């Protein structure tokens, strides 16, 4: 056979070379790639059918009026214009959500870091403490916890009973618009367990001899924290801050349960997602709700991009 | 004695501590633990208190134990909580199954198979982690409504069989990459198909990560409120979370005992999972930073 002359490197026999030619390019491409795509198939269907497709449709719907009965009617940027200029509930929801994010995330992370540092000292009983501090985070999303919280902060609830014992008359936390958001912040801070565990993992990575050296040089505890712990922990702090902030923007269940779905009193617990839910499934303004959803995406994206851009000024990656 | 104990441990303590310092830390941590647990313990204790006593004291110890709140709460709605438990259980188990199968298939492809476009799809998959579900919510709802799936469990379960929880894919990819490549390369040489490698080599070696994903899936689905709130409107299809919320609305300020009893019950499965699988859950959090 003349083809045998061109058999590369002599490694492949004449028969198999001919076989390869007979199979053809397509067959070889198929053999190399088919298993990968077969394994990916469920995810690919899900991605196109449940993520990309719906996301594009939602973008389209955000430029329409759509009540689920009649087909969507194109209204251009009207939804966005109304959100930006003429929707007091949007500004209220945005205000509530930003307040919640700005208050709950720093407190939560500070507690998480303090407790993680207290636990990272080779203490006896570490697994027990860790479990106790993590438990509220795990139960956190459930309705029962929100119900419990509503009771804790009720005007005749436990918090006020405890305050009464030391002679303070507490306000009606849940039903007073000035205080209601703080009960939700407190709930979020109570659930500091999951960032705490990530901090613990991060603290383990810091080499012990750095502290020993600093100690020998006479550096105070505070200085050691400021000069060693904090800088070396910045990647973990950064990660926790981004994850917790995105989560805080998406909070829903506690506000829904505690306010009975209204976001009250006087919109003081109208979380962004709760407003979105009301518009979509209460008023069936699906186009408007889609626009709200896209604004949430843009806000989260801007926040995330901002975090990543500023991170290079304060996050230290040693390696 | 303290010195020898300290020396025997891994050197995780920052400096040599004195005994008093260590006692102070313990005292603070115990106080903080009690503060953390107090609301939960109070709820459990409220659920077994005589009704008249619930709000009269902040103490955790009831004067007498009375389980009648459980009996009353259980049948407090038109549909009993048994039904809600059953619905939640069915949905949660199906979601666990879907997540474990679909996410492990996807993760196996990304971690172990070579194909054109792998890096591209992997980047897309990671990107979906960042998209809030609100963006796809409304079109998905319209789709499931058109399919006639509203008021069934399908909208809550079927997406999981299409690997819609990218968190678990990511978690599994990380784990699969840690398994020595020689194993499947040798098997491939021997003519093993990708499917056999997945089924006979990868899955048996990956039980810890599969269990972690399964347990988180179960707990999150059991606790999920938003999904059922949107898709389930008929009380017979309600999950435990919707049942509890309905109970709150229908009994507010009347049957507190029943309310706390049913609240406690909804937390029991999660609590037991936590008790038995604490290590897996904590490692899962520490390695991927899963939410909550």
């Amino acid at each position: 056979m003349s083809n045998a002359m061109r058999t590369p490197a002599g490694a492949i026999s004449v028969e198999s070379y001919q076989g390869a030619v007979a199979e053809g390019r397509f067959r070889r491409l198929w053999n190399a790639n088919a298993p990968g795509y077969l394994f990916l198939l469920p995810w690919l269907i899900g991605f196109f059918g449940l993520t990309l497709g719906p996301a594009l449709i939602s973008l389209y719907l955000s430029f329409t009026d759509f009540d689920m009965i009649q087909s969507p009617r194109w209204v251009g940027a009207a939804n966005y214009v109304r959100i930006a200029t003429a929707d007091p509930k949007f500004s209220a929801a945005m205000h509530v959500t930003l307040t919640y994010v700005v208050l709950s995330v720093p407190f939560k992370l500070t507690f998480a870091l303090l407790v993680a540092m207290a636990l990272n000292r080779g203490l006896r009983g570490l697994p027990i403490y860790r479990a106790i501090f993590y438990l509220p985070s795990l139960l956190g999303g459930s309705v029962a916890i929100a119900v419990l919280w509503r009771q804790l902060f009720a005007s005749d609830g436990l918090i006020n009973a405890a305050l009464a014992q030391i002679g303070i008359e507490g306000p009606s936390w849940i039903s007073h618009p000035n205080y209601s958001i703080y009960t939700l912040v407190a709930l979020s801070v109570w659930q500091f367990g999951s960032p705490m565990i990530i901090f613990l993992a991060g603290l383990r990575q810091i080499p012990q001899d750095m502290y020993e050296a600093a100690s020998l040089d006479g550096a105070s505890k505070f200085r050691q924290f400021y000069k060693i712990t904090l800088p070396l922990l910045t990647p973990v702090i950064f990660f926790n801050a981004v994850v917790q902030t995105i989560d805080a923007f998406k909070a829903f269940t506690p506000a829904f349960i505690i306010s009975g779905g209204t976001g009250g009193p006087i919109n003081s617990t109208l979380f962004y997602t709760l407003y979105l839910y009301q518009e979509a499934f209460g008023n069936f303004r699906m186009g408007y709700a889609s626009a709200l959803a896209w604004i949430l995406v843009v806000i989260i994206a801007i926040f995330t991009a901002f975090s990543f851009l500023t991170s290079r000024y304060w996050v230290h990656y040693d390696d | 004695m303290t010195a020898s104990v300290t020396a025997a441990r891994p050197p995780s303590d920052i400096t040599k501590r004195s005994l008093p310092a260590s006692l102070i830390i313990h005292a603070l941590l115990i106080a903080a633990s009690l503060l953390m647990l107090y609301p939960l313990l109070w709820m459990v204790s409220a659920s077994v208190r005589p009704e008249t006593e619930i709000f009269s004291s902040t103490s955790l110890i009831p004067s007498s134990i009375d389980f009648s709140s459980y009996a009353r709460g259980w049948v407090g709605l038109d549909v009993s909580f048994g039904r809600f438990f059953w619905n939640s259980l069915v949905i949660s188990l199906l979601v666990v199954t879907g997540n474990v199968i679909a996410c492990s298939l996807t993760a196996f492809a990304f971690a172990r198979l070579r194909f054109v476009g792998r890096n591209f799809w992997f980047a897309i998959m990671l990107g979906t982690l960042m998209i809030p579900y609100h963006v796809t919510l409304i079109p998905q709802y319209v789709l499931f409504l058109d399919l006639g799936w509203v008021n069934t469990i399908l909208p809550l379960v079927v997406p999981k069989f299409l690997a819609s929880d990218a968190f678990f894919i990511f978690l599994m990819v990380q784990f699969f990459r840690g398994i020595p490549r020689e194993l499947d390369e040798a098997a491939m040489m021997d003519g093993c198909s990708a499917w056999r490698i997945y089924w006979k080599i990868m899955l048996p070696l990956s039980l810890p990560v599969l269990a972690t994903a399964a347990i988180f899936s179960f707990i999150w689905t059991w606790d999920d409120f938003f999904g059922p709130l949107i898709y389930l409107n008929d009380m017979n299809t309600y999950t435990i979370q919707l049942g509890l919320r309905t109970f709150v609305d229908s009994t507010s300020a009347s049957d507190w005992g029943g309310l706390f009893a049913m609240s406690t019950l909804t937390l029991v499965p999660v609590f037991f999972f936590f008790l038995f699988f604490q290590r897996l859950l904590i490692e899962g959090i520490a390695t991927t930073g899963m939410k909550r």
Side-chain angles (χ1 to χ4, degrees):
Chain A
M1 279 276 182
S2 61
N3 275 343
M5 306 270 292
R6 285 189 272 147
T7 303
I12 296 173
S13 71
V14 175
E15 287 80 5
S16 75
Y17 181 68
Q18 284 171 331
V21 169
E23 273 183 7
R25 284 174 68 85
F26 175 77
R27 191 64 192 267
R28 268 178 292 149
L29 259 176
W30 170 261
N31 284 344
N33 294 302
Y37 279 91
L38 280 177
F39 273 87
L40 270 197
L41 196 58
W43 177 79
L44 282 170
I45 296 171
F47 172 68
F48 283 103
L50 296 172
T51 305
L52 185 63
L56 294 175
I57 294 171
S58 146
L59 188 60
Y60 163 73
L61 287 179
S62 76
F63 293 100
T64 67
D65 221 357
F66 181 40
D67 60 1
M68 304 265 301
I69 298 163
Q70 287 165 331
S71 48
R73 188 171 57 84
W74 184 264
V75 293
N79 288 331
Y80 292 97
V81 171
R82 198 184 132 210
I83 288 170
T85 57
D87 183 356
K89 280 193 105 178
F90 167 80
S91 355
M94 195 47 100
H95 183 250
V96 167
T97 307
L98 288 176
T99 310
Y100 178 75
V101 169
V102 167
L103 287 180
S104 72
V105 176
F107 275 114
K108 192 177 193 170
L109 293 189
T110 308
F111 273 110
L113 181 56
L114 285 177
V115 175
M117 283 174 51
L119 289 180
N120 188 40
R121 300 164 62 98
L123 286 176
R124 273 167 191 277
L126 167 73
I128 298 172
Y129 288 125
R130 199 178 49 185
I132 290 174
F133 290 123
Y134 177 52
L135 183 62
S137 294
L138 195 71
L139 300 176
S142 63
V143 171
I145 295 298
V147 168
L148 171 64
W149 217 253
R150 197 173 77 160
Q151 205 297 306
L152 279 183
F153 285 92
S155 48
D156 57 351
L158 281 191
I159 300 286
N160 282 351
L163 286 177
Q165 285 178 352
I166 53 169
I168 300 172
E169 194 190 334
S172 47
W173 302 94
I174 299 288
S175 50
H176 195 297
N178 286 355
Y179 300 114
S180 50
I181 183 77
Y182 300 109
T183 63
L184 291 163
V185 170
L187 174 55
S188 165
V189 174
W190 183 59
Q191 296 162 355
F192 65 77
S194 114
M196 175 202 75
I197 283 167
I198 299 168
F199 275 136
L200 260 175
L203 287 168
R204 290 274 156 84
Q205 306 292 317
I206 299 178
Q208 250 358 88
D209 44 8
M210 295 185 82
Y211 293 108
E212 279 156 25
S215 252
L216 288 177
D217 290 346
S220 68
K221 277 280 171 67
F222 180 76
R223 212 178 144 74
Q224 288 179 23
F225 171 74
Y226 194 70
K227 290 285 183 188
I228 301 173
T229 313
L230 216 48
L232 289 179
L233 217 51
T234 45
V236 186
I237 297 173
F238 175 65
F239 176 84
N240 270 339
V242 170
V243 169
Q244 292 299 326
T245 306
I246 293 176
D247 253 24
F249 271 113
K250 297 194 287 193
F252 177 81
T253 307
F256 184 95
I257 296 298
I258 288 175
S259 72
T262 63
I266 326 180
N267 294 339
S268 62
T269 59
L270 185 67
F271 281 21
Y272 196 92
T273 52
L274 185 48
Y275 181 45
L276 198 158
Y277 168 80
Q278 289 178 353
E279 284 296 290
F281 300 96
N283 303 326
F284 292 99
R285 285 200 277 260
M286 294 293 185
Y288 198 67
S290 298
L292 287 172
W294 275 97
I295 287 176
L296 181 63
V297 175
V298 170
I299 289 169
I300 290 179
I302 288 175
F303 161 78
T304 313
F306 179 78
S307 311
F308 274 88
L309 286 177
T310 56
S311 70
R312 61 174 150 147
Y313 299 107
W314 65 276
V315 176
H316 305 279
Y317 295 100
D318 263 2
D319 38 34
Chain B
M1 190 228 147
T2 37
S4 68
V5 171
T6 315
R9 289 226 186 86
S12 56
D13 53 337
I14 290 169
T15 49
K16 291 186 185 66
R17 292 158 285 124
S18 56
L19 188 61
S22 162
L23 281 179
I24 290 171
I25 292 270
H26 271 294
L28 284 175
L29 285 173
I30 290 170
S33 304
L34 289 176
L35 198 66
M36 295 290 286
L37 290 183
Y38 177 78
L40 292 171
L41 295 173
W42 184 85
M43 183 170 75
V44 176
S45 114
S47 72
V48 296
R49 249 170 237 247
E51 186 80 1
T52 50
E53 207 187 281
I54 288 183
F55 295 114
S56 61
S57 83
T58 50
S59 143
L60 293 179
I61 299 148
S63 66
S64 64
I65 290 187
D66 172 7
F67 284 100
S68 64
S69 292
Y70 283 85
R72 232 179 26 254
W74 189 261
V75 293
L77 295 171
D78 296 341
V79 179
S80 95
F81 269 80
R83 178 88 215 172
F84 305 145
F85 265 95
W86 173 251
N87 292 337
S88 273
L89 190 68
V90 169
I91 293 175
S92 301
L93 291 180
L94 285 172
V95 167
V96 168
T97 313
N99 269 341
V100 169
I101 295 174
C103 295
S104 68
L105 287 172
T106 313
F108 177 71
F110 283 137
R112 296 302 242 212
L113 299 177
R114 294 202 189 94
F115 51 92
V116 176
R118 180 180 69 169
N119 292 339
F120 172 76
W121 292 117
F122 189 64
I124 299 270
M125 192 278 294
L126 289 181
T128 62
L129 271 173
M130 286 170 214
I131 303 176
Y133 61 85
H134 307 86
V135 172
T136 51
L137 175 71
I138 288 165
Q140 276 189 15
Y141 180 80
V142 175
L143 170 72
F144 293 140
L145 189 71
D146 285 347
L147 289 171
W149 287 7
V150 168
N151 268 326
T152 74
I153 63 175
L154 293 172
L156 303 171
V157 166
V158 171
K160 309 296 175 180
F161 282 87
L162 299 173
S164 62
D165 271 338
F167 263 115
F168 296 128
I169 302 178
F170 181 64
L171 178 73
M172 290 178 194
V173 166
Q174 297 293 86
F175 190 93
F176 289 171
R177 279 181 176 163
I179 294 175
R181 275 208 169 271
E182 288 78 15
L183 281 174
D184 41 342
E185 272 165 10
M188 199 95 71
M189 293 287 187
D190 291 345
C192 248
S193 68
W195 174 259
R196 272 179 69 90
I197 293 170
Y198 163 78
W199 188 248
K200 293 280 185 191
I201 298 178
M202 276 328 238
L203 287 194
L205 288 174
S206 307
L207 289 181
V209 76
L210 300 180
T212 306
I215 294 158
F216 271 110
S217 288
F218 186 92
I219 292 176
W220 290 347
T221 313
W222 186 269
D223 276 349
D224 184 26
F225 176 65
F226 194 72
L229 176 69
I230 287 170
Y231 288 113
L232 305 176
N233 308 312
D234 172 359
M235 209 192 263
N236 281 302
T237 66
Y238 274 14
T239 62
I240 196 74
Q241 304 294 337
L242 285 185
L244 185 58
R245 180 252 172 160
T246 312
F247 195 70
V248 175
D249 289 351
S250 67
T251 62
S252 55
S254 57
D255 184 9
W256 288 103
L259 179 55
F260 293 130
M262 291 308 103
S263 297
T264 305
L265 278 189
T266 66
L267 294 179
V268 165
V270 179
F271 182 73
F272 274 98
F273 267 97
F274 174 68
L275 214 58
F276 291 119
F277 301 110
Q278 219 211 98
R279 248 187 58 134
L280 286 175
L281 290 170
I282 283 175
E283 278 166 15
I285 291 280
T287 47
T288 61
M290 283 191 281
K291 57 193 169 179
R292 287 192 205 146

